[in-house]
Amino acid sequence: MNPIGIISMSYARPFTAQHLPLMQRIKACDLDFIEMLVPEPGEIAIGKLRVAIEDAGLAVALAARMNPKRDPTSDDPVSRKEGREYLRRCVDVAVALGARIVGGPIYGAPLVFAGRAPAPVDEKKRQARIDWAAEALAEAGVYAASLDVVLAVEPLNRFETDMVNTGRQAVELIRKARAPGLGVMLDTFHMNMEEADLFEAIKGVGKHLVHFQANENHRGFLGTGHIDWATVCHGLAAVQYKGPITLEPFRRDDDRIGVPLAQWRAPTRDEDRDIRKSAGLLRRFLEAAGT
Amino acid sequence: MNPIGIISMSYARPFTAQHLPLMQRIKACDLDFIEMLVPEPGEIAIGKLRVAIEDAGLAVALAARMNPKRDPTSDDPVSRKEGREYLRRCVDVAVALGARIVGGPIYGAPLVFAGRAPAPVDEKKRQARIDWAAEALAEAGVYAASLDVVLAVEPLNRFETDMVNTGRQAVELIRKARAPGLGVMLDTFHMNMEEADLFEAIKGVGKHLVHFQANENHRGFLGTGHIDWATVCHGLAAVQYKGPITLEPFRRDDDRIGVPLAQWRAPTRDEDRDIRKSAGLLRRFLEAAGT
């Protein structure tokens, strides 16, 4: 069965040395790996992080994050260069940690989290951005492949990026990059907004699928929203997906008016029981689908 | 059966005198009303707009829009005042056009479309914003009720506002305002992201529901996405909703990489046939649910 893990942001952001004991707790939740946000320089000693992960018997995947200062599709050539260098650094961190997968919106073009409003993109600029993204991915993919790492292109919803919103577009982008070391990842939170059909979207990515994130429509714990997990898991079975599946339950069960739901918030209570139940529900559906 | 209409933005934005012949085309699509963005001053002569709508045999509803310069929950008292004045003007436009409903995120706090990133809101500020919103709605509601107009509070998804994201929160806000002339509207596009259960969300709003927008998860034409229309229409039947239902199909069937999906784009072809099919599909589900 697919390894099931959880994102570091479910516990802390930034994730620092004081959070290393969490690895044992994650293992005790019957989880198989932690997906770490690629640590920013100075946040945590990579060697100690690796030891804590291995001591707990966990595996590790990485999540890359772009911003306006490191964005492979920025108008600013300095930012494009920083974006490409960041991808190289992500691969280095993966090697240092023993991770095989670095996923995320590695083509850039952040919107709401960069305080950027959607704006028209003319055809010339659209083509330029596709070229910039494909070049950055090709360069990073070759480097990643040489070190046995895979970079996973993640489509995000229309409010988080105006670059790649669907699995089909992610496949088109890596085909354009024509390089080793590149794959596609999907996240049901974004799919729920942008894909016409969850099953067909997974089938369309097919053999390119190298990573997956299982999130409810509202980012609550699995089974508390309306994502059709049977359909999702049958899709994963149809493409014979054996890879990791990450949980990212961020909602915090906070339904008060005026709480910024999209803004990261630390947990306010021990969520281990709910996390364990989410993983258990997912495992039952994966089992039923025969992945 | 519920009147079914379409938003003016499906055709043009801004909607000006040159677009008035569209009213006849909308009627020819078997639609019952147009939902107009409340015209900004100088965009169109309200008298001529009313004549064109009535000549076509259509009814009309209005959609209000806040922005950082007119936002009832802004930190800036000038913006809060402008927000309250804008709500009064919306009611005046409704009276001038013969509209009964003015809906939208009339509590303000825009995010992505205002280029504002989600940010922490401390408890004091959260309470202040709730008070400001409730006061603005109470004042506007009393004015609206005196002129037989209803203001409909619309929850938006987490990327479009950090104020009201669910039907339950919208009901809580109008209860806090304790004024006549206030109701709640729901949009399945936002519900798909924020509600745990579409049926229960509609039931929770119940008798407060005064307006509804039927949109696919990806804002394409109805039936091309994964919104469960049977569940939605059974929810509407369960609360005996007899009011208007608006279509807002903005996706434009444009699946190219790097097209800003969240950014408004004009139609690129005659969509009448798809609009007519969307309304037809919705009518069959409403009929089956017995609304």
Side-chain angles (χ1 to χ4, degrees):
Chain A
M1 181 165 307
N2 309 70
I4 298 181
I6 191 158
I7 190 93
S8 59
M9 272 196 290
S10 278
Y11 301 93
R13 180 179 186 176
F15 196 98
T16 63
Q18 65 170 308
H19 303 113
L20 291 177
L22 284 167
M23 298 300 172
Q24 300 288 344
R25 223 172 99 191
I26 291 170
K27 182 68 181 180
C29 284
D30 286 334
L31 294 172
D32 305 301
F33 70 94
I34 183 166
E35 179 167 334
M36 291 289 304
L37 298 195
V38 176
E40 299 298 325
E43 270 180 11
I44 194 166
I46 300 297
K48 285 185 183 165
L49 178 56
R50 180 171 188 154
V51 167
I53 291 168
E54 289 184 352
D55 279 357
L58 292 172
V60 60
L62 288 177
R65 292 166 291 171
M66 294 301 176
N67 62 47
K69 288 183 180 169
R70 58 178 188 221
D71 175 357
T73 51
S74 171
D75 286 343
D76 173 9
V78 175
S79 172
R80 293 203 299 275
K81 182 165 170 287
E82 292 291 328
R84 293 198 302 273
E85 283 177 9
Y86 174 70
L87 287 178
R88 198 174 174 94
R89 186 160 72 75
C90 288
V91 173
D92 292 337
V93 173
V95 171
L97 281 179
R100 294 273 324 267
I101 300 279
V102 180
I106 52 182
Y107 44 80
L111 281 175
V112 64
F113 291 114
R116 188 164 73 87
V121 174
D122 68 31
E123 185 57 19
K124 194 177 153 196
K125 182 167 169 189
R126 191 180 74 83
Q127 291 293 347
R129 292 167 88 201
I130 294 171
D131 291 343
W132 290 331
E135 282 162 27
L137 291 178
E139 179 186 294
V142 167
Y143 183 63
S146 74
L147 294 163
D148 205 20
V149 170
V150 177
L151 296 171
V153 173
E154 179 182 23
L156 299 185
N157 71 74
R158 65 189 64 192
F159 302 114
E160 295 191 44
T161 187
D162 52 10
M163 191 66 200
V164 175
N165 301 127
T166 64
R168 199 195 58 67
Q169 292 173 353
V171 170
E172 191 180 324
L173 185 57
I174 65 166
R175 281 200 176 128
K176 189 163 171 66
R178 288 174 65 94
L182 297 175
V184 171
M185 63 176 284
L186 292 171
D187 176 336
T188 52
F189 174 76
H190 302 294
M191 295 173 76
N192 174 59
M193 294 169 63
E194 302 303 347
E195 301 287 358
D197 182 305
L198 301 184
F199 183 89
E200 291 298 331
I202 295 169
K203 271 198 73 175
V205 173
K207 66 179 181 189
H208 300 292
L209 190 66
V210 295
H211 193 49
F212 199 80
Q213 292 175 330
N215 293 306
E216 271 298 352
N217 63 298
H218 54 14
R219 285 208 181 277
F221 296 105
L222 265 58
T224 67
H226 63 64
I227 294 288
D228 182 347
W229 294 110
T231 294
V232 168
C233 291
H234 279 285
L236 294 175
V239 301
Q240 299 183 287
Y241 179 68
K242 310 285 185 204
I245 303 180
T246 306
L247 309 174
E248 301 178 301
F250 292 154
R251 191 179 168 94
R252 308 297 179 214
D253 287 339
D254 190 343
D255 288 329
R256 293 172 300 154
I257 301 179
V259 171
L261 270 188
Q263 204 266 324
W264 185 83
R265 288 152 295 146
T268 55
R269 61 178 177 83
D270 183 333
E271 297 178 332
D272 285 4
R273 194 159 160 268
D274 293 302
I275 290 168
R276 187 192 288 264
K277 283 197 292 186
S278 289
L281 182 141
L282 185 58
R283 286 198 179 95
R284 295 299 84 72
F285 274 111
L286 289 166
E287 200 170 48
T291 63
Chain B
M1 181 165 306
N2 310 70
I4 298 180
I6 190 156
I7 190 92
S8 60
M9 273 196 288
S10 279
Y11 301 93
R13 181 181 185 172
F15 197 98
T16 63
Q18 65 170 308
H19 303 113
L20 291 177
L22 285 168
M23 299 300 172
Q24 300 288 344
R25 223 171 100 191
I26 291 170
K27 182 66 180 181
C29 284
D30 286 335
L31 294 172
D32 303 302
F33 69 94
I34 184 166
E35 179 167 334
M36 291 288 305
L37 299 195
V38 175
E40 299 298 325
E43 270 180 12
I44 195 166
I46 300 298
K48 284 185 183 165
L49 177 56
R50 180 170 188 157
V51 167
I53 291 168
E54 289 185 351
D55 280 356
L58 292 171
V60 59
L62 289 176
R65 292 166 291 170
M66 294 302 176
N67 63 47
K69 289 185 179 166
R70 58 177 189 222
D71 174 357
T73 51
S74 171
D75 286 342
D76 174 7
V78 174
S79 172
R80 293 203 299 275
K81 184 166 169 286
E82 292 290 328
R84 292 198 304 272
E85 284 178 9
Y86 173 71
L87 287 178
R88 198 176 173 92
R89 186 161 72 74
C90 288
V91 173
D92 292 337
V93 172
V95 171
L97 282 178
R100 294 274 324 266
I101 301 279
V102 179
I106 52 181
Y107 45 80
L111 282 175
V112 64
F113 290 113
R116 188 165 72 87
V121 174
D122 69 31
E123 185 57 18
K124 195 177 151 197
K125 183 168 168 186
R126 191 180 74 82
Q127 291 293 349
R129 292 168 87 201
I130 294 170
D131 291 343
W132 290 332
E135 282 163 28
L137 292 177
E139 179 186 295
V142 166
Y143 183 61
S146 75
L147 293 163
D148 206 21
V149 170
V150 178
L151 296 171
V153 173
E154 179 182 23
L156 299 184
N157 70 75
R158 65 189 65 191
F159 302 115
E160 295 191 44
T161 187
D162 52 10
M163 191 66 201
V164 175
N165 300 129
T166 64
R168 199 196 58 67
Q169 291 174 352
V171 170
E172 192 180 322
L173 185 58
I174 65 166
R175 281 199 176 129
K176 190 164 171 63
R178 288 175 66 93
L182 297 175
V184 171
M185 63 176 283
L186 292 170
D187 176 336
T188 52
F189 174 76
H190 302 294
M191 294 172 76
N192 175 58
M193 296 168 62
E194 303 302 348
E195 301 288 357
D197 181 305
L198 301 185
F199 183 89
E200 292 298 331
I202 295 170
K203 272 198 73 177
V205 172
K207 66 178 183 191
H208 299 292
L209 190 66
V210 295
H211 193 49
F212 199 81
Q213 292 175 331
N215 293 307
E216 271 298 354
N217 64 297
H218 54 14
R219 283 208 180 278
F221 296 104
L222 266 57
T224 67
H226 63 64
I227 294 288
D228 181 347
W229 294 110
T231 294
V232 169
C233 292
H234 279 285
L236 294 175
V239 301
Q240 299 183 286
Y241 179 66
K242 310 287 187 203
I245 303 179
T246 307
L247 309 173
E248 301 178 302
F250 293 153
R251 192 178 167 93
R252 308 296 179 216
D253 287 339
D254 191 341
D255 288 329
R256 293 172 301 153
I257 300 180
V259 171
L261 270 188
Q263 205 266 326
W264 185 83
R265 289 152 293 146
T268 55
R269 61 178 176 82
D270 183 334
E271 297 178 333
D272 286 3
R273 194 160 159 268
D274 293 302
I275 290 168
R276 186 193 289 264
K277 282 198 290 186
S278 289
L281 182 141
L282 185 57
R283 286 199 179 96
R284 295 298 85 73
F285 275 111
L286 289 166
E287 199 170 48
T291 64

